[in-house]
Amino acid sequence: MTYRHFVFGGVIAGVLIATPFAPRTGITPLLWIVCAALAICVALALAAITKVLFARETFSFLHYQVAAIAVTALALPQALDLIALALAVTQCIGRIGCLHAGCCHGRPARFGIRYGEGEVAAHWEGARVIPVQALESIALAIIAIVTARSIGNGAIVVYAISYACVRFATELLRGDARRHFLRLSEAQWICVATMVVAGTPWLAAAAIVIACVRRRDYDALARALYTARTGGGIAVAPGVQISHGRTNELEHYTLSVAARDARTVAAAVRDLAHPDARVTLLAGNRGVFHVVVGGGA
């Protein structure tokens, strides 16, 4: 199944699963379906408008989710608990589509999944990455269950806070390129705003403190590594310079990096380019380290 099949299937499943709960909110199933259809239409219109204006779709599901909740709040506030359940189910299924499509993938890891040629950007092909989409899907399944049990009793708040926490955490595990401002990704800022609006500013403050820990740009590192391997010369990523060479049957990399980051970068080199090989880190002089690749796992 393609990504779109999973998304459309998730939308339909979300609306249908939420329908039997409509009486708990004091509205009829038919009225709920009309409201859900309106939210879906607004999301589709938003996607179409952004494609016209920017020649590509620039928004993510998180943006469409905010739009769907806003429309529901204006058109039929009684249905907010239902839209929360529908969104949880939709994303739970949709994230499986993301897992298959290779979008929103995780950062390099010792254990994880690998994407082949054409499934992800060239500098991520063959890398072993955290299956962050699957982790989020599992979390959303749990959130959907909890949300369903809370319908008629503030389910929208339960969902908003729970998903904001989950999404903030999974953003820390992602390796694909994403916009950041003051150490937080765009999605994380939306999550922080959600926590504040939902009445849990202490969660927002804790999230910001966590995110202030130094973050490595794994997409930039993957690009630099790919450039060094395919183009030769010295490639640069934030905090590191990389060169690549071959000696007989061994591949080796030279890293110019701070000593405290040497092991982390060497592990990333292994997981990005040689996930099945044995990698040895050797210290050189003046902040230079050597990564030697050779032998089986």
Side-chain angles (χ1 to χ4, degrees):
M1 294 178 70
T2 66
Y3 167 76
R4 292 185 183 276
H5 287 142
F6 277 101
V7 172
F8 291 147
V11 170
I12 294 171
V15 173
L16 293 179
I17 289 175
T19 299
F21 294 91
R24 289 193 192 177
T25 64
I27 62 176
T28 65
L30 179 59
L31 188 56
W32 151 244
I33 292 175
V34 171
C35 179
L38 176 62
I40 293 169
C41 288
V42 169
L44 292 175
L46 185 60
I49 291 171
T50 56
K51 284 186 177 180
V52 171
L53 293 177
F54 305 105
R56 62 186 180 90
E57 190 173 352
T58 60
F59 287 161
S60 68
F61 189 89
L62 189 57
H63 299 94
Y64 301 130
Q65 172 176 261
V66 172
I69 292 174
V71 169
T72 303
L74 292 173
L76 190 64
Q78 303 95 311
L80 281 172
D81 283 0
L82 299 176
I83 203 73
L85 175 58
L87 288 170
V89 173
T90 297
Q91 288 201 86
C92 176
I93 297 173
R95 286 301 176 199
I96 301 301
C98 293
L99 183 67
H100 281 269
C103 60
C104 312
H105 62 76
R107 66 190 189 193
R110 193 70 182 101
F111 302 98
I113 59 175
R114 298 168 67 179
Y115 290 103
E117 184 177 353
E119 294 182 311
V120 288
H123 55 287
W124 283 100
E125 290 176 358
R128 182 181 285 118
V129 297
I130 298 172
V132 66
Q133 311 97 318
L135 297 178
E136 190 168 323
S137 180
I138 293 170
L140 280 160
I142 297 172
I143 291 174
I145 294 172
V146 176
T147 300
R149 294 174 62 89
S150 304
I151 287 179
N153 192 29
I156 182 64
V157 177
V158 172
Y159 170 74
I161 295 175
S162 300
Y163 183 63
C165 292
V166 168
R167 181 61 183 269
F168 191 98
T170 55
E171 285 286 306
L172 300 174
L173 301 178
R174 288 184 169 166
D176 59 331
R178 38 194 62 232
R179 296 185 292 265
H180 283 76
F181 177 70
L182 298 179
R183 294 187 180 272
L184 295 183
S185 69
E186 182 181 4
Q188 286 176 319
W189 278 116
I190 294 175
C191 292
V192 167
T194 300
M195 294 173 189
V196 173
V197 172
T200 55
W202 59 274
L203 268 179
I208 292 175
V209 170
I210 292 172
C212 284
V213 176
R214 195 161 54 93
R215 184 188 66 86
R216 180 164 299 281
D217 188 341
Y218 283 102
D219 188 71
L221 179 60
R223 286 181 183 275
L225 183 61
Y226 180 79
T227 300
R229 296 183 69 204
T230 59
I234 299 176
V236 180
V240 60
Q241 295 181 336
I242 306 173
S243 62
H244 171 263
R246 291 179 181 272
T247 303
N248 298 324
E249 296 181 356
L250 296 178
E251 284 189 65
H252 57 86
Y253 300 84
T254 299
L255 309 177
S256 178
V257 63
R260 66 177 182 274
D261 295 330
R263 288 187 178 278
T264 300
V265 175
V269 168
R270 176 198 63 205
D271 299 329
L272 285 166
H274 309 279
D276 296 323
R278 183 173 63 247
V279 170
T280 304
L281 176 65
L282 303 174
N285 297 319
R286 298 181 180 179
V288 175
F289 295 82
H290 304 280
V291 177
V292 180
V293 182

